Amino acid sequence: MSTQELRVAVVGAGMMGADHVARITQRISGARVTAVVDPDAARATAAAALAPGAQTFAAFEDALAGTEIDAVIIATPGFLHEPVILPALEKGLAILSEKPLSDTVDSSLRIIEAEQKLDRPHIQVGFMRRFDAGYLQLRELVRSGANGSLLALHCAHRNASTPPNYSESALITDSVIHEIDIVPFIAGEPIVSVEVKKPRRNSLAPDGLVEPQFVLLETLSGTLAIVEISVNIQFGYQVTTDAVFESGVASIGRAETIQIASAGQIGQSVTPSFKERFGAAYDVEIQRWVDAAHRGEIDGPSAWDGYLASVVADAGVLAQSSGEKVVVEYALEKPAFYETGAREAVSA
Ligand code: ISE
């Protein structure tokens, strides 16, 4: 595998899957997309057209049987990850699973148990914020201690609108899962409790969806992250963080584009979706995953990080329905297996 191009199957040809097909074809070295898997033939064909020579398949098993694959990117909804991850592990493929690792804690546990039967971690989880320049600078600032201890984080996570079938629990499991991963990454310690507050409902949200919500994530030493999740805010895609230190405030996520003062107004464009807001981070993430796969490693958040996030998300969904502060109980200690294979720069 080391000198040849990695032959990648992309499973799930929706917005994210198609974006990865284009990325690998146009900007990533050392890999090419040889298979696109989606039960929707039109979607598979449209995505495969972005990668010359790529074949299409309706199911992952068909791709395994029908072509040579070294690696797989899984970009289906979370509840469909395990049925792809388990056979991919059996084949010893390099795996990039989009977030969340899976949709339940039990499923995440089955995945990490299956992975630990191998010689080393094979799964990297697509928490792309760990590759974003702003988050990395913020993490370094916390580590340096230059402004004293980190006391609190104001996080805004805003989407223009929701896709079909987006439910209230998805606010936690599909959206805030990013803060659930990145807050410990920045703070350097785990989340110990979750609480959810619900302000006045946005009438522009689909019927029955209660949002925005405020999700309070408390870390071990008491740093509090207050996450505003708003998913039908219309104006575009915005993810910002203001970090409150003992002697100063650091802000990331607001200055992505040029600011223009003209005709009596100051304006700046807003990214329409996560594809643009985190485009550079995705590029770094996928290049490092490909390079690591050639070395027989992963280089980013592992399935263990995916499992930890699923435990916190579970507590978050409970907090959402109960209105209570829910203490996060981690049933497992980090296995030694996960101390290797993922580079320190982006792994917890
Ligand atoms: C989507 O799946 C993502 O991962 C985006 O980053 C997030 O902002 C959005 O809320 C999710 O639905």
Side-chain angles (χ1 to χ4, degrees):
M1 200 193 287
S2 57
T3 52
Q4 289 179 347
E5 282 190 320
L6 206 66
R7 293 163 295 187
V8 180
V10 174
V11 180
M15 180 172 165
M16 196 70 248
D19 196 44
H20 282 319
V21 174
R23 166 172 297 102
I24 290 180
T25 308
Q26 295 159 16
R27 296 192 290 285
I28 300 299
S29 61
R32 72 193 148 95
V33 176
T34 53
V36 175
V37 180
D38 200 297
D40 180 330
R43 281 207 320 190
T45 305
L50 302 166
Q55 293 176 261
T56 59
F57 298 91
F60 183 52
E61 306 80 67
D62 301 339
L64 286 178
T67 187
E68 296 283 322
I69 296 169
D70 307 307
V72 58
I73 293 184
I74 305 166
T76 55
F79 73 96
L80 295 172
H81 288 185
E82 185 182 356
V84 176
I85 290 178
L86 296 184
L89 283 174
E90 274 179 26
K91 295 271 179 193
L93 303 185
I95 301 167
L96 188 291
S97 167
E98 272 304 337
K99 43 58 58 176
L101 173 62
S102 193
D103 60 329
T104 66
V105 174
D106 283 349
S107 170
S108 302
L109 274 172
R110 284 193 293 274
I111 290 169
I112 59 172
E113 274 166 19
E115 187 177 37
Q116 286 175 80
K117 296 196 178 113
L118 304 180
D119 55 334
R120 60 169 181 87
H122 280 58
I123 305 169
Q124 189 168 319
V125 179
F127 288 127
M128 76 298 187
R129 292 190 187 184
R130 293 193 189 205
F131 300 88
D132 174 78
Y135 282 113
L136 289 169
Q137 282 174 306
L138 188 52
R139 184 183 201 225
E140 273 318 300
L141 190 61
V142 173
R143 287 182 152 194
S144 75
N147 294 88
S149 298
L150 175 68
L151 308 178
L153 295 160
H154 296 267
C155 307
H157 185 162
R158 300 177 180 132
N159 296 181
S161 60
T162 38
N165 302 322
Y166 188 97
S167 62
E168 186 173 348
S169 61
L171 290 165
I172 307 285
T173 59
D174 190 53
S175 300
V176 176
I177 195 88
H178 284 293
E179 281 81 10
I180 287 174
D181 178 68
I182 207 72
V183 166
F185 181 70
I186 292 169
E189 53 185 26
I191 292 168
V192 295
S193 78
V194 192
E195 200 175 345
V196 176
K197 298 280 179 197
K198 303 180 187 180
R200 182 173 168 171
R201 177 178 177 275
N202 184 352
S203 64
L204 301 174
D207 282 352
L209 183 61
V210 177
E211 66 100 359
Q213 296 191 356
F214 280 76
V215 182
L216 278 56
L217 306 170
E218 183 191 15
T219 72
L220 189 60
S221 71
T223 297
L224 192 61
I226 302 166
V227 184
E228 175 213 317
I229 179 71
S230 294
V231 290
N232 287 278
I233 203 159
Q234 313 296 316
F235 73 87
Y237 188 90
Q238 189 181 50
V239 171
T240 64
T241 304
D242 297 302
V244 182
F245 291 87
E246 289 176 298
S247 62
V249 174
S251 300
I252 61 168
R254 283 194 189 79
E256 301 299 311
T257 61
I258 190 169
Q259 198 188 66
I260 300 174
S262 167
Q265 288 191 322
I266 295 181
Q268 194 180 12
S269 62
V270 179
T271 48
S273 81
F274 49 86
K275 278 196 325 189
E276 299 80 16
R277 166 66 176 86
F278 289 107
Y282 284 121
D283 286 355
V284 176
E285 170 193 63
I286 298 297
Q287 187 63 66
R288 286 177 60 166
W289 171 69
V290 166
D291 292 347
H294 282 289
R295 298 191 303 269
E297 295 173 8
I298 61 169
D299 188 6
S302 67
W304 175 252
D305 297 305
Y307 159 74
L308 291 180
S310 73
V311 174
V312 179
D314 218 39
V317 173
L318 188 58
Q320 215 177 26
S321 58
S322 68
E324 305 289 326
K325 173 166 160 175
V326 176
V327 171
V328 180
E329 314 267 8
Y330 299 98
L332 298 179
E333 293 283 325
K334 187 173 185 176
F337 179 85
Y338 288 109
E339 301 293 353
T340 57
R343 283 204 182 165
E344 211 272 330
V346 289
S347 293

